[in-house]
Amino acid sequence: MKALRRLTVRAAFPDELVRLGDIVANLRWSWHAESLDLLEAVDPDLWGECGHDPERMLGEVSAERYAQLGRDRKFVRRLDDIHDDLTDYLTQPRWYQREAQKSTLPESIGYFSPEFGITEVLPQYSGGLGILAGDHLKAASDLGVPIIGVGLLYGSGYFRQTLSRDGWQLEQYPALDPQGLPISILETADGTPARVAIALPESRTLHAQIWVAQVGRVPLLLLDSDIEENDADARQVTDRLYGGGKEHRLEQELLLGVGGVRAIRAYCAATGTPAPTVFHTNEGHAGFLGVERIREIVEGDGLDFDAALQAVRAGTVFTTHTPVPAGIDRFDRTLVAAHLTGMSPLPAERILDLGAEEDPTIFNMAHMGLRLGQRANGVSLLHGEVSREMFADLWPGFDTSEVPITSVTNGVHAPTWMAREILEIAEREVGSAVLDEGGGWEAIDKVGDAELWRVRNLLRARLVDEIRRRMRQSNLVRGFSEAELGWTSSAFDPNVLTIGFARRVPSYKRLTLMLRDPERLRALLLDPEHPVQIVIAGKSHPADDGGKQLIAQMVQFADDPEVRHRITFLPDYDIGMARYLYWGVDVWLNNPLRPLEACGTSGMKAALNGALNLSIRDGWWDEWFDGENGWAIPSAEGLTDHDRRDDLEAHALYDLIEKNVAPRFYDRQRGGVPTRWVQMVRHTLKSLGPKVLATRMVSEYVRRLYAPAASSAARMVADEFAAARTLATWRREVEARWPGVAVLHVDSQLSGGGVAQVGESLTLRAEIALGGLSPDDVVVEAVYGRAAADDRLTDISTVSLHPVANGDGTDRYEGDVPLERTGAFGYTVRVLPKNELLASPAELGLVATA
């Protein structure tokens, strides 16, 4: 007979150990070394058996062991010291509080994401998007940034991955018991569980309860629909991450966006936390949060839709992680319309227009995110360029460089991903503020080559032990017998150059690029002088049979007895496995199809541990590769023959490993230290250490996006939304009159009167039709730059023209264009809307050009 439900019954803490519960209740333990040591000391054997899950371990510790620890004065002193340190961490002013004394910063920020990777014991993530969101919260906590995270609590999380005998990915969805997770239920003032509800079609209602995971100083609210108030279908809305069909996904995203705003309101009411003035949506999944905030203002403050939209846009930040249109969530417009019943009194057509795209039958979540967010960004410099091109149709008439999407390059949370040995070196030489402040990494020069090499050898050996353990475990699950697995105890070699590759497995990440020439790869693995070993991991989406086939190909190659001691695919890639990989590999490999990698933070984590990157110049590597911190795989970008491109890039990869990477690793000098290799390791830590930190990333968001958004939002709501009402009225008038705006005529005259020369200027005079608008409503610009053969301008610059008095009733503008460089030169004149409440002249997507 099976149990209907299960729960963990924990022995009561003695009075001396009560503070242990406070430490476990805050997920800071997952990245705080001293807390981890303390938890392991509770029961070292249980700690390992329970997968480093303190909730699970403490539920199995006996009352006798607790009593023994309560009498252990050394343990109690450690416990008290760590509890005091946690209290200081949670209460003392940090970077954000110091910055707030210099400038106005938002009191609170809502950060929405469909997934969060905080720790493996809270499996609510699938890959890079969730890990990035988790690192964002952790870094915000370290900096003191007052963020409230919002996500969903998935009953099965993402899937657990195993392999069949022939290497095919198999998925398992173990049910998660919230009572056994490091979360607590949010209660209202009267002690009842807080609830949110949203309307569904056919007079149904979707209810959700709110769980809170405390991530250092940051609360993470997780909405859970598996409650008795819901019917059977509604209970399944939060069943699993990225599961189900289109309607299921739409209802998840409605719950995340609309329900998430309502959850924040409930949390702030229950705790007294200031309500957010800035809302940040991490990808388009949470885009409906903007619609809910419009509804709040229309119902609560009496504004019309247009004015409420301006108020909401001012305080909204949208981050896109998508490098290709196929990665955007798109829903049938009629399906979305049917789910807008709960958004009354908002007009459904106005909401649907927010997600409009070229196909009139489709509702596009990224388009809604961009229309609802006054500020938007990609996640690397290159991805910013890709995003501006991908979404340029929303701003017709503008050069792609002017599309109002900036970029903030991702970062990673160093205390989570750095091996303790490397972290201790950084803190010893650079100082304890290294991870927050980001400066001083040049002090790594004080560390000797021998010490750096000793640590790298230690971490590689630790990884090899973990690989052997996981290889054996995986093969047992695949159906191999113990007698067949004796070879795993000597697989991999702690002294051999180790390359890591671990990614999700969509086709563009090219898991099997290294298999393009199997014999060439085999030769690299088995080279008698410069052998290489490769550890690989990654999950394919359950519905992606193409990705599963790639995994099967890799597993079948790695099963070959000739090479299986040098290459392996490890299933069930998660945070726990990732740490060993980032710590121990010598080289991190990444070979996506450029420019389809938005950022790709795995190589950052490896770099923080002294690994060198070997990568296509895509994502973050395109902007921070400097020729000394690793190797760039040449990209055959532009070739239309994909097989030919893969062949060229694979052979470039083989050549780099054979002729550059491996010889440098094995080039040993005095004492067996590869001096030139260690020089690259040292340079990697110095040059990339301060750049790849999530604290750098979050501080950029604060300065460049959150603070301006908070300022704009404050202006909009002041004096009963006076600015929002004024802007909405102005915008309606400008949009109505814009068809009458035109550049009628342009004259030009060289300052020297003869041949155009560098250093001279070109005086432009333009006659403009304003269509009934005031000169105060527009800006007239000269746009100039290099002129291509088809007269298209590139490398453009702009200069404003000023109105000049005239007596004939026409609008005339004049200004000088500098001639700053030789070569083909071109110019034009354009008119743009102008209003001090706009964040960008391109914001309205209106332009009139000569």
Side-chain angles (χ1 to χ4, degrees):
M1 185 178 297
K2 288 188 175 181
L4 176 64
R5 295 290 301 272
R6 58 180 296 172
L7 66 158
T8 300
V9 181
R10 180 192 294 176
F13 291 134
D15 291 343
E16 297 84 357
L17 303 185
V18 168
R19 288 179 157 191
L20 191 59
D22 295 335
I23 292 170
V24 170
N26 192 306
L27 289 172
R28 188 212 186 196
W29 62 259
S30 68
W31 71 85
H32 186 244
E34 289 80 3
S35 296
L36 289 166
D37 288 344
L38 179 78
L39 291 168
E40 182 177 16
V42 170
D43 190 316
D45 292 334
L46 265 181
W47 180 244
E49 293 170 12
C50 293
H52 301 175
D53 181 342
E55 290 280 350
R56 183 178 163 198
M57 178 190 72
L58 295 179
E60 298 188 21
V61 173
S62 67
E64 291 77 15
R65 176 58 178 164
Y66 280 136
Q68 182 183 19
L69 290 171
R71 295 190 298 269
D72 184 336
R73 289 185 294 176
K74 183 177 180 181
F75 181 88
V76 172
R77 280 197 303 271
R78 287 177 66 193
L79 170 61
D80 290 344
D81 288 344
I82 291 170
H83 188 276
D84 290 345
D85 180 74
L86 174 62
T87 300
D88 288 343
Y89 175 84
L90 298 177
T91 59
Q92 294 299 309
R94 303 186 75 81
W95 172 84
Y96 191 86
Q97 287 67 43
R98 296 192 296 272
E99 289 294 307
Q101 295 176 354
K102 308 173 192 174
S103 59
T104 302
L105 297 177
E107 280 192 286
S108 181
I109 301 140
Y111 180 87
F112 289 60
S113 179
E115 51 176 301
F116 286 90
I118 308 295
T119 165
E120 60 268 42
V121 305
L122 186 61
Q124 301 292 309
Y125 60 94
S126 71
L129 181 70
I131 299 299
L132 181 279
D135 282 7
H136 196 106
L137 297 194
K138 294 175 189 176
S141 174
D142 291 344
L143 293 172
V145 181
I147 277 179
I148 302 172
V150 182
L152 301 180
L153 182 72
Y154 302 99
S156 296
Y158 204 46
F159 66 90
R160 300 296 303 271
Q161 179 194 45
T162 57
L163 300 173
S164 69
R165 184 89 178 204
D166 60 359
W168 192 258
Q169 172 180 290
L170 304 175
E171 299 93 26
Q172 299 172 331
Y173 292 90
L176 301 174
D177 179 6
Q179 303 294 338
L181 298 176
I183 55 179
S184 59
I185 201 74
L186 176 66
E187 294 182 345
T188 62
D190 62 7
T192 60
R195 295 281 196 271
V196 299
I198 63 174
L200 294 179
E202 300 177 356
S203 302
R204 296 170 59 233
T205 301
L206 173 60
H207 301 271
Q209 61 188 351
I210 306 162
W211 297 89
V212 182
Q214 196 63 41
V215 186
R217 299 166 73 111
V218 173
L220 170 58
L221 313 183
L222 299 170
L223 282 74
D224 171 18
S225 73
D226 188 16
I227 55 177
E228 61 184 10
E229 290 93 331
N230 285 325
D231 60 33
D233 289 338
R235 294 188 75 149
Q236 296 302 308
V237 167
T238 56
D239 58 351
R240 59 182 62 167
L241 179 58
Y242 302 140
K246 285 290 187 179
E247 184 168 11
H248 188 81
R249 287 286 294 276
L250 176 60
E251 291 178 356
Q252 284 189 340
E253 296 185 9
L254 281 164
L255 181 59
L256 176 59
V258 176
V261 172
R262 296 175 185 178
I264 280 183
R265 305 307 184 208
Y267 177 81
C268 292
T271 62
T273 301
T277 54
V278 173
F279 286 76
H280 182 181
T281 174
N282 189 39
E283 255 307 339
H285 309 83
F288 287 108
L289 72 85
V291 177
E292 168 63 7
R293 292 174 59 220
I294 292 173
R295 186 200 61 79
E296 289 181 328
I297 294 172
V298 169
E299 283 196 346
D301 299 283
L303 275 67
D304 63 19
F305 185 95
D306 290 324
L309 172 60
Q310 302 313 312
V312 165
R313 290 188 73 253
T316 302
V317 175
F318 173 69
T319 296
T320 173
H321 294 257
T322 306
V324 290
I328 296 171
D329 274 347
R330 301 163 74 238
F331 298 104
D332 187 279
R333 187 179 170 99
T334 58
L335 179 66
V336 176
H339 281 77
L340 296 180
T341 54
M343 289 293 102
S344 177
L346 303 186
E349 282 302 314
R350 296 299 306 277
I351 299 173
L352 293 171
D353 287 347
L354 293 171
E357 62 158 67
E358 183 179 11
D359 185 339
T361 69
I362 295 298
F363 186 92
N364 186 307
M365 294 296 289
H367 285 196
M368 178 170 67
L370 290 166
R371 290 185 175 114
L372 283 171
Q374 192 174 42
R375 290 164 179 83
N377 70 284
V379 290
S380 69
L381 277 176
L382 180 59
H383 181 239
E385 296 174 14
V386 170
S387 298
R388 288 188 286 276
E389 293 176 1
M390 187 166 72
F391 295 113
D393 288 348
L394 295 182
W395 291 272
F398 288 90
D399 189 84
T400 54
S401 65
E402 298 176 299
V403 169
I405 300 175
T406 185
S407 63
V408 175
T409 302
N410 284 342
V412 299
H413 186 244
T416 294
W417 303 112
M418 288 179 79
R420 190 174 302 186
E421 292 81 0
I422 298 288
L423 188 57
E424 288 173 351
I425 288 175
E427 290 181 334
R428 183 189 77 207
E429 301 298 343
V430 184
S432 59
V434 59
L435 304 181
D436 292 345
E437 308 296 335
W441 284 74
E442 61 277 1
I444 294 293
D445 280 339
K446 292 187 287 186
V447 183
D449 288 356
E451 181 179 2
L452 277 179
W453 185 238
R454 177 188 61 78
V455 171
R456 290 298 314 148
N457 286 333
L458 173 67
L459 297 176
R460 190 186 318 107
R462 186 180 298 162
L463 171 60
V464 166
D465 287 343
E466 182 69 4
I467 290 172
R468 291 171 177 172
R469 184 186 72 81
R470 287 181 179 266
M471 288 176 72
R472 179 180 175 279
Q473 182 183 53
S474 172
N475 280 290
L476 287 173
V477 172
R478 291 176 65 194
F480 293 92
S481 68
E482 290 275 8
E484 296 175 276
L485 299 178
W487 62 272
T488 60
S489 63
S490 58
F492 280 64
D493 186 326
N495 298 307
V496 166
L497 170 64
T498 305
I499 298 175
F501 181 99
R503 321 287 296 153
R504 288 185 303 111
V505 193
S507 59
Y508 79 87
K509 292 183 183 287
R510 298 193 294 185
L511 169 72
T512 56
L513 185 70
M514 67 182 78
L515 297 181
R516 295 296 293 185
D517 185 342
E519 293 311 310
R520 186 85 184 270
L521 176 60
R522 194 184 306 271
L524 291 173
L525 297 171
L526 303 177
D527 188 289
E529 295 184 9
H530 300 151
V532 172
Q533 54 195 15
I534 306 177
V535 54
I536 305 158
K539 292 180 176 180
S540 173
H541 189 281
D544 182 7
D545 282 349
K548 294 180 184 181
Q549 185 61 51
L550 296 178
I551 291 174
Q553 292 172 21
M554 183 59 69
V555 173
Q556 288 159 15
F557 179 87
D559 278 346
D560 184 344
E562 186 181 10
V563 297
R564 66 189 181 186
H565 65 298
R566 287 277 190 265
I567 185 169
T568 188
F569 181 93
L570 300 180
D572 212 27
Y573 182 46
D574 67 356
I575 290 175
M577 182 197 297
R579 287 197 187 94
Y580 283 96
L581 297 179
Y582 301 141
W583 295 343
V585 298
D586 299 294
V587 173
W588 192 262
L589 173 63
N590 192 26
N591 46 230
L593 275 168
R594 189 181 192 274
L596 302 184
E597 182 83 275
C599 184
T601 57
S602 297
M604 295 181 176
K605 297 161 193 163
L608 275 178
N609 290 285
L612 307 179
N613 276 264
L614 172 61
S615 177
I616 295 284
R617 290 195 64 166
D618 202 0
W620 75 275
W621 189 237
D622 182 68
E623 83 193 72
W624 289 336
F625 167 68
D626 66 7
E628 298 178 33
N629 51 14
W631 296 268
I633 304 168
S635 174
E637 190 177 0
L639 277 182
T640 55
D641 184 337
H642 295 300
D643 284 337
R644 175 65 175 158
R645 178 175 178 176
D646 284 353
D647 285 340
L648 289 173
E649 295 183 12
H651 282 87
L653 169 62
Y654 301 140
D655 284 345
L656 277 170
I657 294 173
E658 180 182 4
K659 299 174 182 178
N660 297 83
V661 181
R664 181 159 296 195
F665 179 86
Y666 290 106
D667 180 15
R668 306 298 165 88
Q669 284 80 42
R670 291 177 311 194
V673 176
T675 303
R676 292 197 302 156
W677 184 276
V678 174
Q679 286 173 350
M680 293 182 72
V681 170
R682 187 190 312 281
H683 177 73
T684 290
L685 290 169
K686 287 165 49 182
S687 66
L688 293 180
K691 293 178 180 177
V692 303
L693 297 180
T695 45
R696 184 272 313 154
M697 171 189 71
V698 172
S699 66
E700 278 196 52
Y701 273 105
V702 169
R703 294 187 179 110
R704 294 175 51 203
L705 296 169
Y706 295 162
S711 177
S712 295
R715 292 187 67 183
M716 286 292 170
V717 303
D719 299 324
E720 299 182 340
F721 294 90
R725 299 174 197 267
T726 300
L727 180 59
T729 300
W730 175 85
R731 181 167 181 167
R732 279 194 294 264
E733 181 178 1
V734 168
E735 289 173 340
R737 295 183 181 275
W738 200 257
V741 177
V743 180
L744 301 176
H745 185 72
V746 178
D747 283 327
S748 63
Q749 181 178 342
L750 283 167
S751 59
V755 177
Q757 294 183 351
V758 172
E760 295 184 354
S761 63
L762 191 67
T763 298
L764 300 185
R765 298 179 182 87
E767 183 178 339
I768 308 296
L770 293 182
L773 293 176
S774 161
D776 293 336
D777 294 326
V778 301
V779 59
V780 179
E781 293 181 337
V783 183
Y784 60 96
R786 294 192 182 278
D790 61 356
D791 292 333
R792 193 168 192 83
L793 295 177
T794 60
D795 299 327
I796 66 170
S797 300
T798 63
V799 62
S800 293
L801 306 184
H802 55 273
V804 294
N806 61 80
D808 59 6
T810 59
D811 291 287
R812 298 179 185 276
Y813 288 77
E814 184 176 298
D816 294 331
V817 173
L819 303 180
E820 301 168 321
R821 57 195 174 195
T822 60
F825 177 87
Y827 67 89
T828 189
V829 173
R830 69 182 180 184
V831 187
L832 300 171
K834 181 182 70 174
N835 191 300
E836 64 175 356
L837 296 174
L838 299 180
S840 161
E843 188 171 318
L844 272 60
L846 299 176
V847 60
T849 307

